[in-house]
Amino acid sequence: MISNNEMIRIRRQMQRRIQDVVAERRRTRDLAPSPSPAQPGADQEVCVADNGPG
């Protein structure tokens, strides 16, 4: 059986690990160049031609 103190310690350890991963991903995202629309996989605006009624 896990004691209450052990459960608290494990929960805090897990939260620290999650925060470390989130911070690392944020740093990686901030350092990476943003993709230009010409690159595959980047979000692109799609324009639809208006061919009139019908």
Side-chain angles (χ1 to χ4, degrees), residues 7-35:
M7 187 64 87
I8 292 170
R9 182 185 59 80
I10 292 169
R11 185 175 292 125
R12 286 180 180 164
Q13 185 179 29
M14 289 171 55
Q15 288 173 341
R16 275 195 304 269
R17 288 182 182 175
I18 292 170
Q19 288 171 351
D20 289 346
V21 169
V22 170
E24 180 65 29
R25 289 184 181 175
R26 186 174 293 132
R27 279 192 298 271
T28 302
R29 187 180 64 234
D30 290 345
L31 293 177
S34 59

Side-chain angles (χ1 to χ4, degrees), residues 44-50:
Q44 296 182 1
E45 182 178 345
V46 176
C47 297
V48 178
D50 184 6

